[in-house]
Amino acid sequence: MSPLPALRRAAAREWGPLFTTVRRGLAGRGPRALALTAVAVALTASVHVVQVQDWGHRPVRLLGAVRAEDPLWSALARTPLSPFVAAPDLPVWGALAQILLVFGVAEVCLGRWRTLAVAYLATVAGTLYARIGVALGPEVFLGLPAADARVVDTGPSAAVVGLAVYVCHRHRARFTGALVVLAMVVEVLVKDNLAGREHLAAIAVVLAVCHVRERLGRRVQDRGAGGGGTRSGAPPMRSWNFRRGPAQRTSWW
């Protein structure tokens, strides 16, 4: 018996809702659905071109380089640009590919501002963890050596990982989300460095946000089903479950 039908059903369960949301978003809004992603890719490419110039390295570092030894206010001021400052010792196409794929899917599924919020939250989580880890010291669990305070921390990886986990949770792609988390854990086990640990910190914070959001959503549903929605005792009607005519159909992505 061929395993292909079972694999197709598994793939449809895992990626079906996500694929449908992306397809409808692109069909409904066209290129406008990826405006933020296009800006992020262009900004990353432009910053990279500037920082590899003799005259551009220092300005980019002043505006976007974050280190745990810097004053907190200075680090937070540089954090918005830091995801778009690709590491100069790594191929820039890797950062551009990450942004294009993950930011693109997230922007279509979550919207522009929520994508920015999750990406920034994940970046800040990694930045603050580095500061806390260095303060704890290497003798403490999750602590970091003092030398990591001087490591320049830039690039989109924390934001990309955080967005990937958030989108997978939102669209119930649990296996894919688990693979992302597992890959980051393996990364730390194989090469324990500041970047890998910051990825785990970003994942932890994003998962905490997902958990709180889910709990609040359940609480709202329970309150609605508890008597606020109907007087008959039946579950409250949800109009988006009914079949609409052409003039009534709306997009819920």
Side-chain angles (χ1 to χ4, degrees):
M1 184 176 180
S2 174
L4 288 179
L7 291 175
R8 287 172 182 166
R9 288 193 297 270
R13 286 193 301 269
E14 179 73 10
W15 298 308
L18 180 60
F19 176 78
T20 300
T21 302
V22 172
R23 180 173 57 81
R24 289 178 177 174
L26 292 176
R29 298 175 61 195
R32 292 183 295 113
L34 298 174
L36 171 64
T37 303
V39 171
V41 170
L43 178 60
T44 303
S46 300
V47 170
H48 179 73
V49 171
V50 171
Q51 77 169 339
V52 297
Q53 309 299 321
D54 293 337
W55 55 267
H57 182 77
R58 180 174 173 78
V60 170
R61 283 291 177 261
L62 289 174
L63 294 174
V66 178
R67 293 171 298 192
E69 68 177 4
D70 295 334
L72 180 59
W73 64 268
S74 177
L76 292 178
R78 295 171 179 173
T79 301
L81 182 62
S82 65
F84 310 107
V85 181
D89 56 334
L90 296 176
V92 68
W93 60 263
L96 296 177
Q98 290 178 31
I99 294 173
L100 182 62
L101 176 62
V102 179
F103 269 67
V105 172
E107 184 178 3
V108 175
C109 294
L110 306 177
R112 192 169 303 155
W113 296 113
R114 186 171 295 178
T115 298
L116 276 176
V118 175
Y120 185 69
L121 176 67
T123 301
V124 171
T127 298
L128 294 181
Y129 162 72
R131 195 170 293 267
I132 295 170
V134 169
L136 291 174
E139 299 82 9
V140 180
F141 179 66
L142 298 180
L144 295 169
D148 282 348
R150 296 185 293 275
V151 174
V152 176
D153 177 26
T154 61
S157 55
V160 164
V161 169
L163 281 171
V165 170
Y166 190 91
V167 169
C168 288
H169 181 274
R170 182 80 182 271
H171 291 274
R172 298 296 184 262
R174 293 184 175 90
F175 181 73
T176 305
L179 283 181
V180 173
V181 176
L182 179 61
M184 296 302 102
V185 172
V186 171
E187 176 190 24
V188 171
L189 294 176
V190 173
K191 186 179 181 180
D192 189 3
N193 56 17
L194 177 61
R197 292 195 177 204
E198 286 188 347
H199 296 163
L200 294 182
I203 289 173
V205 170
V206 169
L207 286 178
V209 170
C210 291
H211 177 71
V212 171
R213 177 182 170 276
E214 199 167 63
R215 289 285 297 272
L216 291 176
R218 289 174 180 172
R219 188 173 298 177
V220 170
Q221 289 179 356
D222 292 343
R223 287 179 181 175
T230 63
R231 296 183 180 180
S232 63
M237 290 184 179
R238 304 190 180 204
S239 60
W240 58 84
N241 288 336
F242 295 109
R243 191 180 300 275
R244 292 183 173 84
Q248 293 177 296
R249 290 195 182 99
T250 56
S251 171
W252 292 95
W253 50 266

